[in-house]
Amino acid sequence: MNIISHRQLFFQHVAQTSDFPLALEIERAEGVYLYTADGQAYMDLISGIGVSNVGHRHPKVLAAIQEQLDKYLHLMVYGEYVQTSQTKLAQALAETLAPYTSPYGALSNVYFTNSGTEAIEGAMKLAKRFTGRTEIISCLNAYHGATQGALSLSGDENFKRNYRPLLPDIRHIAHGNLTHVEQISHRTAAVVIEVITAEAGIRVPDPAYLKAVRQRCTEVGALLIIDEIQTGFGRTGSFWAFEDFGPVVPDVLVCAKGMGGGMPIGAFISSPEVMSVFKNNPILGHITTFGGHPVSCAASLATLNVIRDEQLFAQAEAKGQLFRQLLGASPAIKEIRGKGLMLAAEFESFDVLKPVIDRAIEKGVITDWFLFCNNSMRIAPPLIITDEQILEACAVILDAI
């Protein structure tokens, strides 16, 4: 009998999203490293695309998961039973936001989802229901998810044209362009915006721009929805990226990715006044079966506590500066953009960058490019990465160049 390898099964039965998947066969992961069956180690400089902020299989996250496994798994659709891991996590998230108040009150009401995309969908529904308006504004070259509602917000036509028709009444403005802020009007239900753009290649705006967006939303009664799916949970040098820009406080905050410690979870957070509209007309205005799964919530609370207690966000800026210092010595790198451990190293073109990424992976360092900026290398390692590991990673990248 022929034995079919896992690699063969992968290509036969796992749906592919490109003709050239990495197809690394990972047997285990620990800290900043992934390991293949033959013992090859790969340093993960992209954190599974912004997920493993506290590293892979953090001991405190594993302990929280095991403790919850010994109690219960799924019990009931979202919002019906009092589940300790949910309530503790919601309280902890509210505490991170306690210093800030939106025009509608404290950001103290949390709706849990399975992912960032689902959190965006919920936030879009919330804005329409609360304001009674239909227009939603997002930014050019923005990415907020792949479901049809979230995809409608995408600012890259090439990424979505073959899925039209999508949601109507979506308008796009340029991130960082003050002259576009006036397009936010009394027709606008919400502006969905990243503090720092991710898939556009890590663009950090002038704080004056975000303040102008906040002011305009307040003037016209539109909700400001800030997408911190990639920036949140310590990635940029503060727990939430918006804290370093004024702060510019959202009416709705969306998070996911790094919040789960490797488990699937997302959330959108708002004030009790705004969130209460889901209670009636219709009742059960937004529902989910697995959102806020107790095991994911337990893992997320442990992740939050590790980031907060160990002040991992406070170390992100210095570690990011070390990457800048080391990689900035290469003439092949035209610019390094970003904040904290959310960086983009720009090359002349994708044709120049792609072989560098391939060679770095061959040498044991995993990097990537961006959906809407394919000439820039993504550098977003776990926040626990050490200076010694940064030196090692940069040596490999420079050698690959």
Side-chain angles (χ1 to χ4, degrees), residues 270-315:
S270 191
S271 66
E273 177 188 352
V274 174
M275 203 72 85
S276 67
V277 297
F278 279 153
K279 296 179 182 178
N280 55 71
N281 194 27
I283 190 174
L284 303 175
H286 192 63
I287 52 179
T288 173
T289 298
F290 292 114
H293 191 282
V295 177
S296 292
C297 285
S300 180
L301 179 60
T303 298
L304 187 156
N305 287 336
V306 167
I307 293 171
R308 182 186 58 192
D309 295 347
E310 298 181 14
Q311 292 286 290
L312 292 182
F313 55 87
Q315 305 166 30

Side-chain angles (χ1 to χ4, degrees), residues 53-316:
N53 284 17
V54 296
H56 295 276
R57 299 180 66 252
H58 191 286
K60 292 183 179 178
V61 174
L62 295 184
I65 290 171
Q66 185 60 59
E67 183 180 351
Q68 184 58 46
L69 288 177
D70 291 338
K71 295 177 180 177
Y72 54 82
L73 302 181
H74 174 75
L75 299 178
M76 177 61 161
V77 295
Y78 183 79
E80 293 297 324
Y81 293 164
V82 178
Q83 300 182 56
T84 301
S85 61
Q86 280 185 2
T87 57
K88 285 185 175 180
L89 176 58
Q91 179 188 31
L93 288 167
E95 286 174 353
T96 69
L97 296 164
Y100 312 109
T101 302
S102 85
Y104 301 97
L107 299 169
S108 60
N109 222 233
V110 184
Y111 194 111
F112 291 116
T113 64
N114 300 286
S115 67
T117 296
E118 290 180 37
I120 287 289
E121 294 281 351
M124 292 170 73
K125 285 177 64 179
L126 183 66
K128 289 182 175 181
R129 177 68 182 84
F130 182 77
T131 64
R133 303 172 184 178
T134 57
E135 179 184 79
I136 298 180
I137 292 176
S138 62
C139 290
L140 298 168
N141 290 327
Y143 178 78
H144 298 286
T147 52
Q148 291 192 74
L151 185 61
S152 302
L153 300 178
S154 173
D156 182 87
E157 184 59 29
N158 184 59
F159 205 67
K160 64 184 182 180
R161 69 165 55 91
N162 288 329
Y163 300 103
R164 290 193 177 279
L166 294 169
L167 287 185
D169 224 0
I170 304 294
R171 179 191 293 268
H172 293 97
I173 60 176
H175 194 279
N177 189 325
L178 277 167
T179 65
H180 285 199
V181 173
E182 291 302 312
Q183 295 183 41
I184 305 168
S185 73
H186 289 88
R187 289 193 63 253
T188 307
V191 176
V192 183
I193 193 168
E194 301 163 280
V195 180
I196 299 168
T197 64
E199 298 309 319
I202 316 299
R203 314 285 174 169
V204 182
D206 186 325
Y209 168 74
L210 292 173
K211 290 177 183 177
V213 172
R214 169 70 274 178
Q215 182 178 344
R216 183 64 176 167
C217 285
T218 302
E219 288 172 358
V220 302
L223 295 187
L224 176 59
I225 300 173
I226 289 185
D227 177 343
E228 292 237 22
I229 292 170
Q230 291 203 43
T231 55
F233 279 71
R235 170 71 40 203
T236 66
S238 51
F239 195 89
W240 303 109
F242 79 79
E243 296 179 271
D244 282 340
F245 289 82
V248 174
V249 182
D251 301 308
V252 184
L253 179 68
V254 179
C255 53
K257 285 190 179 290
M259 76 181 287
M263 292 293 287
I265 189 170
F268 56 103
I269 308 169
S270 191
S271 66
E273 177 188 352
V274 174
M275 203 72 85
S276 67
V277 297
F278 279 153
K279 296 179 182 178
N280 55 71
N281 194 27
I283 190 174
L284 303 175
H286 192 63
I287 52 179
T288 173
T289 298
F290 292 114
H293 191 282
V295 177
S296 292
C297 285
S300 180
L301 179 60
T303 298
L304 187 156
N305 287 336
V306 167
I307 293 171
R308 182 186 58 192
D309 295 347
E310 298 181 14
Q311 292 286 290
L312 292 182
F313 55 87
Q315 305 166 30

Side-chain angles (χ1 to χ4, degrees), residues 317-347:
E317 186 59 35
K319 291 176 180 179
Q321 288 298 332
L322 182 55
F323 271 108
R324 289 173 182 268
Q325 174 190 336
L326 295 169
L327 295 179
S330 171
I333 296 176
K334 307 303 179 185
E335 178 186 21
I336 300 177
R337 298 181 299 274
K339 197 172 186 305
L341 282 172
M342 187 177 185
L343 301 172
E346 183 175 308
F347 288 71

